[in-house]
Amino acid sequence: FDRRTRECLEARAPLCQDDCSRAYEAFLCYYHQYGNLRWSQEYIPLPHLEAVQASIDCINILRIPRELIEQYSRAIVPNVPETQCLYRCQYLAEGLYDPQYGFNHTRFYIRHHDQPAREFLSDETRSCTEHALRDSCDECARVYRARKCFDSYSTPFFTSRIIQHAAQIILGQRGCDEDELKPRYNSIASGSYVPASHPPPPPPPSSYHVSDGGCKYNCKN
């Protein structure tokens, strides 16, 4: 398209023409190669690095504890409240979810353009997400549960890889800032800090482990 458009401009819009004629001929070159102009707003998925930056912002805003960040960096994604809210924040940042209207299935379909699946737009999938988003009083838990409606046909570990990359960057940039990243969920009544146990060894690079061991972080009685 680019080469043909350039050749068209050179042939049909020479410098000797007046400005109005050149502008019209240039418009025709673009029109014939790219089609008519579209005035509607189109959704463009965030490039990977921008999505990673959004994840970094979410991790900082939510004050995710260091132990969890370390697990994310090793492709370990525990199913805990912090993770659930991180996914909600990520989807909000990417324009995939709205608290009032729920998931935007068309945008999910576009986001996974490398593995397009019409099932994103099916009535069955819409019914699945709508049901999941009504199933709990906790919005983070609802969003985290509803995202599983896309698992069968979305790019595997798409969001997990974004979060993993973000966690690796955060640990690299803030490795010396222990106070800010120190876990706060194991504190005891006296105020002293009880170190958490070391996370399990990382899985193979190609796999992602999702733990579902119940409430562990920032739990409330």
Side-chain angles (χ1 to χ4, degrees):
F1 290 111
D2 181 68
R3 178 181 57 80
R4 291 200 299 266
T5 302
R6 191 181 305 110
E7 291 174 352
C8 178
L9 291 171
E10 293 173 353
R12 300 188 58 167
L15 295 176
C16 59
Q17 286 185 339
D18 62 272
D19 291 343
C20 291
S21 297
R22 290 184 63 213
Y24 179 70
E25 294 296 340
F27 162 75
L28 290 178
C29 288
Y30 282 99
Y31 174 72
H32 291 154
Q33 298 301 327
Y34 294 97
N36 208 349
L37 300 176
R38 300 187 63 174
W39 297 101
S40 60
Q41 185 177 5
E42 301 297 324
Y43 173 72
I44 300 176
L46 290 182
H48 177 74
L49 290 181
E50 291 187 25
V52 169
Q53 182 59 57
S55 187
I56 291 173
D57 294 341
C58 287
I59 289 173
N60 289 331
I61 291 170
L62 296 171
R63 297 186 61 81
I64 302 294
R66 183 184 183 91
E67 182 181 342
L68 269 179
I69 297 175
E70 290 176 343
Q71 292 186 62
Y72 295 154
S73 72
R74 294 177 172 86
I76 302 171
V77 186
N79 182 4
V80 293
E82 289 86 349
T83 299
Q84 295 170 358
C85 287
L86 178 56
Y87 269 75
R88 173 187 175 274
C89 183
Q90 184 71 30
Y91 292 148
L92 283 169
E94 293 191 48
L96 301 168
Y97 170 76
D98 181 272
Q100 181 176 356
Y101 301 106
F103 282 108
N104 189 313
H105 289 240
T106 300
R107 292 185 175 185
F108 260 94
Y109 174 80
I110 297 172
R111 185 198 198 211
H112 294 268
H113 58 84
D114 58 334
Q115 187 176 317
R118 299 295 297 179
E119 289 84 355
F120 278 109
L121 310 175
S122 69
D123 292 339
E124 181 180 357
T125 305
R126 294 181 188 277
S127 176
C128 177
T129 57
E130 290 172 1
H131 176 75
L133 290 174
R134 294 194 303 264
D135 199 32
S136 171
C137 295
D138 185 335
E139 185 182 355
C140 293
R142 293 199 306 266
V143 171
Y144 193 76
R145 185 182 302 110
R147 92 193 201 288
K148 296 181 180 179
C149 297
F150 304 115
D151 281 355
S152 298
Y153 29 85
S154 59
T155 306
F157 312 119
F158 193 100
T159 304
S160 299
R161 289 194 177 99
I162 293 173
I163 293 173
Q164 180 187 19
H165 192 175
Q168 291 170 344
I169 291 175
I170 289 176
L171 291 175
Q173 291 178 342
R174 297 160 60 186
C176 298
D177 193 356
E178 294 295 329
D179 289 336
E180 188 169 356
L181 292 177
K182 184 181 295 182
R184 295 174 295 281
Y185 45 82
N186 277 333
S187 59
I188 57 178
S190 62
S192 60
Y193 172 68
V194 180
S197 59
H198 195 276
S206 60
S207 64
Y208 280 73
H209 173 67
V210 179
S211 171
D212 193 11
C215 184
K216 179 179 178 183
Y217 303 94
N218 292 337
C219 303
K220 297 181 180 179
N221 294 329

